Amino acid sequence: RLAMPVTSASVGIADQSSGMVLLAGNSHPELARLVSDRLGVRLGDAVVYNKTNRETSVDIKQSVRGKHVFILQSGSKNVNNDIVELLILIYACKTSAATKITVVMPYLPYSKQCRMLRRSSIPMRLVAEMISKSGATRLVSLDLYRKEIQGFFSIPVDNLRASLFLLQYIREYIPDHKNAIIVAKNPGVMHKATSYADRLRVGVAVIHGEQKEEEESGTEDGRQSPPPNIAPFELFPSSLPKEKPPLTVVGDVGGRIAIMVDDIIDDAASFVAAAEVLKARGAYKIYVMATHGVLSSDAPALLEASPITEIIVTNTVPHEMQKMRCHKIKTVDISLMLCEAVRRIYYNESMGQLFRDINMDD
């Protein structure tokens, strides 16, 4: 059994005798309801709201003294408000003498800003330290943008994977998936594409020549200032400007179903450009599959007008409005995995079962 049955008796036991309290912010109420229903634990009585001056206020209307508190909060469109809500919720539970505070954050905001660029900073490190210092004792997330982000936290981090649910969707809802080929949108996600291809027993291809996004490029750092005029310029090696090669596909996609995999879909322009190349090379169906469907700005409109057949994302991020603008978006529910993680953490059971058949490259 992966989840406790939803009965009135189990609700009372879970809330009062067992010491579990499940709280949620305002970022993803639908996911909070799914987790609550599957666990058989009603959501704790907490009010999280913004005052007239936009300050965030938290009022927990039940005792959490000596309890194990689980706080469910994900990233959404209003990302900064989501983080502040989470921090104040954690701190309110800490000052109310909660024994343990586990943060369940399926999509970790600022995770793409995990590298030093030019004279900037590493905001993900700052967010991790704030979560740790505010009083959290453990964090559960899903498909971190970089697995090294776990090292930013001073508390245990469980990085769950959504690949099992996405692979199940491919097997059940993509007809003739044996004729598919897994495509890496850029060489940076080749390891993920290979992991999917191995388990589906299909081929793999990669889009080559696509210029990396600026925040993902580790070579264009730019922190160095122009050298002082203390030596002839001829002493420094000359460098040629980087030329962007044309997009091309390494691998045969002709007459195949192309399935592009990635962790996050935010700006859809790169996915649309890759889909057009795949279409020109003979792919007769193109699917895009990712864990977190952020889909900000005009991404839904771009995807709707693109040659992409379907966009499959999980419900780690609320995207109901985006689905109204783009009917190609399909949602995979991962609340079952979150519920099982919560249950195992609460009863001090091994988390290894959730990582069975999971590769490091997922």
Side-chain angles (χ1 to χ4, degrees):
R1 300 291 297 275
L2 291 181
M4 294 182 292
V6 183
T7 63
S8 58
S10 65
V11 170
I13 291 173
D15 284 351
Q16 298 174 11
S17 302
S18 68
M20 177 191 293
V21 176
L22 180 63
L23 301 178
N26 296 321
S27 65
H28 203 339
E30 178 63 22
L31 182 60
R33 184 190 62 80
L34 287 171
V35 172
S36 173
D37 291 346
R38 286 184 178 274
L39 273 177
V41 179
R42 64 170 174 262
L43 285 174
D45 191 5
V47 179
V48 184
Y49 64 98
N50 289 333
K51 294 184 176 182
T52 53
N53 61 355
R54 302 304 296 169
E55 289 183 357
T56 301
S57 180
V58 171
D59 183 13
I60 302 176
K61 298 183 178 298
Q62 69 181 82
S63 175
V64 296
R65 182 180 297 274
K67 304 290 184 69
H68 189 163
V69 181
F70 291 85
I71 301 176
L72 179 62
Q73 179 83 326
S74 190
S76 66
K77 189 175 182 180
N78 197 358
V79 58
N80 294 328
N81 189 67
D82 296 336
I83 293 176
V84 173
E85 282 185 6
L86 173 65
L87 296 176
I88 298 179
L89 268 171
I90 296 171
Y91 192 65
C93 294
K94 177 185 177 181
T95 54
S96 298
T99 304
K100 297 178 182 178
I101 304 170
T102 299
V103 175
V104 182
M105 203 165 200
Y107 172 60
L108 191 62
Y110 286 92
S111 59
K112 294 187 76 172
Q113 299 190 52
C114 58
R115 295 183 182 181
M116 172 72 78
L117 295 174
R118 293 176 291 278
R119 293 182 179 88
S120 180
S121 60
I122 306 178
M124 184 64 252
R125 175 65 184 270
L126 175 62
V127 173
E129 289 187 352
M130 288 193 298
I131 293 174
S132 303
K133 297 292 185 183
S134 60
T137 57
R138 190 166 188 163
L139 183 130
V140 178
S141 190
L142 196 72
D143 279 339
L144 292 174
Y145 181 68
R146 290 284 185 267
K147 297 176 181 61
E148 294 80 2
I149 291 174
Q150 298 176 77
F152 292 162
F153 290 85
S154 58
I155 57 176
V157 177
D158 294 300
N159 181 25
L160 305 178
R161 310 291 203 278
S163 58
L164 294 179
F165 292 87
L166 297 176
L167 288 169
Q168 183 182 12
Y169 184 94
I170 293 175
R171 296 186 182 102
E172 293 184 0
Y173 296 102
I174 296 182
D176 196 19
H177 67 273
K178 290 297 183 181
N179 190 36
I181 185 168
I182 307 298
V183 180
K185 183 173 65 72
N186 56 59
V189 294
M190 188 63 184
H191 58 284
K192 190 178 187 71
T194 304
S195 175
Y196 275 64
D198 289 345
R199 281 178 285 177
L200 290 172
R201 300 182 184 277
V202 296
V204 64
V206 60
I207 304 289
H208 179 67
E210 182 179 8
Q211 188 175 11
K212 293 183 180 179
E213 296 179 5
E214 190 174 354
E215 67 270 16
E216 295 180 356
S217 176
T219 57
E220 299 176 2
D221 191 291
R223 280 176 291 177
Q224 64 276 7
S225 299
N229 191 18
I230 59 175
F233 185 74
E234 288 75 13
L235 292 178
F236 297 94
S238 60
S239 60
L240 298 176
K242 180 181 178 181
E243 294 184 2
K244 179 181 176 181
L247 285 175
T248 185
V249 181
V250 180
D252 183 18
V253 298
R256 301 282 193 89
I257 299 174
I259 303 176
M260 279 191 286
V261 296
D262 209 340
D263 293 321
I264 303 173
I265 300 180
D266 189 0
D267 181 13
S270 58
F271 289 92
V272 173
E276 290 173 351
V277 173
L278 292 171
K279 191 74 174 179
R281 289 298 185 95
Y284 71 94
K285 281 186 180 180
I286 302 170
Y287 292 83
V288 172
M289 186 162 287
T291 304
H292 310 294
V294 181
L295 301 170
S296 57
S297 187
D298 58 346
L302 289 175
L303 293 172
E304 182 70 20
S306 71
I308 297 174
T309 307
E310 276 186 7
I311 301 97
I312 301 103
V313 295
T314 68
N315 57 344
T316 56
V317 179
H319 52 267
E320 288 77 14
M321 297 302 297
Q322 288 87 338
K323 290 181 73 172
M324 295 177 65
R325 296 175 58 192
C326 178
H327 298 87
K328 298 178 180 180
I329 300 174
K330 307 297 179 184
T331 306
V332 177
D333 181 22
I334 46 83
S335 61
L336 179 63
M337 175 171 286
L338 298 179
C339 291
E340 182 64 5
V342 168
R343 190 190 68 79
R344 287 178 176 272
I345 290 172
Y346 178 72
Y347 288 110
N348 294 318
E349 297 180 8
S350 172
M351 298 288 285
Q353 189 71 19
L354 298 178
F355 294 93
R356 287 187 61 186
D357 303 323
I358 296 296
N359 298 329
M360 286 295 295
D361 295 332
D362 281 2

